[in-house]
Amino acid sequence: MQAGKPDSQEAGTLPGGLRLWTKSYVNGAASTLLTTLVTFPIYKTIFRQQLHAVMVREALRQLHKEGLSKFYRGILPPLLAKTVQGTVLFGTYDTVLHWMSPQATLNRPQSLYHCSLAGMLSGFIEALVLTPCERVQNVLQDSRKDARLPTIRSILQEFNSYGVGKRLKLGYYRGLVPIIFRNGLGSALYFSFKDPIRDALSEKGLPSGLSSFVSGSVNGMGVSLLLYPLSVLITNMQAQVGGEVRSTGHSFRALWESRQGRVSLLYRGGSLVIFRSCITWGLTTAIYESLKGRSGGRN
């Protein structure tokens, strides 16, 4: 991949450049907000599979038994988190990319090195900002915590009851290390291959919207499957409340033993991850690229 042609003036000195960065944050928020509303039921089913290592039918049976009133229990944290995620992920990526490559416009191909590095940095920032939301979400969706911690307020009260040092380690930022690794690597891969796949499909005659959707779907599916074991580990680490904080390595060994040392059990829920990731990242990418085009971010 080669960098695009230099712009006539350095980015950042033009009002249009500043407007583009702002639009990236807004477009990212809008695309992830809409996508989350559509895909939350799929996410909740996957969560139950990751937590209890059950089949799809059993996860759906649990949700059906709990009733419609609890079906959307826990949607507020992911709705807020995903909206913030899109804001941070796409906005920070474009900002970092333009900062690293000021002579190239954002609507032209960038080097693979710049894309991967900007994606990784945006993933790190995303992890630091959103880990507390993911933590609350995972506790809320664990049915074993219904009686003790039924609401967001009760969870926050529990975390705030810890000492200052343990409030972050035991409470809001439990499982931070694997989250940083997952988000950083996942974002680097996504942004490295999103545009090349889209452009290759467009060259074959696919409409821009469809090529963006397919690019996001293929990208999201590959990244999610690759990093799925980390997501399972994070779910199990963050569903714990109180007790001793285990290292990432110790937690993974415990998870591996609970899955009887079988990859098939570790990947339980993987089929739905493929489906959810195809829809989630396909829709997110297509909506974002459409909004970006409307705001003048692409040729």
Side-chain angles (χ1 to χ4, degrees), residues 104-173:
T105 58
L106 291 179
N107 60 336
R108 296 187 181 280
Q110 305 291 311
S111 70
L112 181 61
Y113 169 76
H114 284 149
C115 289
S116 60
L117 184 56
M120 183 174 294
L121 290 175
S122 66
F124 288 163
I125 296 172
E126 173 198 355
L128 293 174
V129 172
L130 295 177
T131 292
C133 292
E134 186 172 358
R135 168 71 160 138
V136 172
Q137 175 186 348
N138 282 332
V139 175
L140 266 181
Q141 292 187 132
D142 184 359
S143 59
R144 298 170 298 183
K145 307 293 192 304
D146 281 355
R148 181 186 171 194
L149 301 169
T151 63
I152 295 176
R153 182 178 180 181
S154 63
I155 295 173
L156 297 180
Q157 288 176 339
E158 171 71 20
F159 292 166
N160 291 332
S161 69
Y162 304 153
V164 177
K166 292 184 178 180
R167 189 172 300 170
L168 298 180
K169 189 176 181 180
L170 276 176
Y172 296 103
Y173 281 92

Side-chain angles (χ1 to χ4, degrees), residues 46-53 228 231-232 235-236 259:
I46 293 172
F47 174 85
R48 290 299 176 87
Q49 287 191 281
Q50 291 177 338
L51 194 60
H52 302 300
Y228 185 76
S231 295
V232 177
T235 295
N236 282 268
R259 298 297 191 263

Side-chain angles (χ1 to χ4, degrees), residues 42 46 49-50 220-221 224-225 228 268-278:
I42 304 173
I46 293 172
Q49 287 191 281
Q50 291 177 338
M221 178 184 67
S224 295
L225 283 178
Y228 185 76
R268 180 155 283 177
S271 59
L272 276 181
V273 166
I274 296 176
F275 179 63
R276 184 195 68 175
S277 296
C278 284

Side-chain angles (χ1 to χ4, degrees), residues 5-6 20 24 26 37 45 47 61 77 80 89 127 144 155 169 208 222 241 250 252 254 272 294:
K5 297 179 181 180
L20 177 62
S24 296
V26 175
L37 291 173
T45 305
F47 174 85
R61 188 195 67 79
L80 294 175
L89 191 64
R144 298 170 298 183
I155 295 173
K169 189 176 181 180
S208 59
V241 177
H250 190 284
F252 185 78
L272 276 181
R294 290 172 182 271

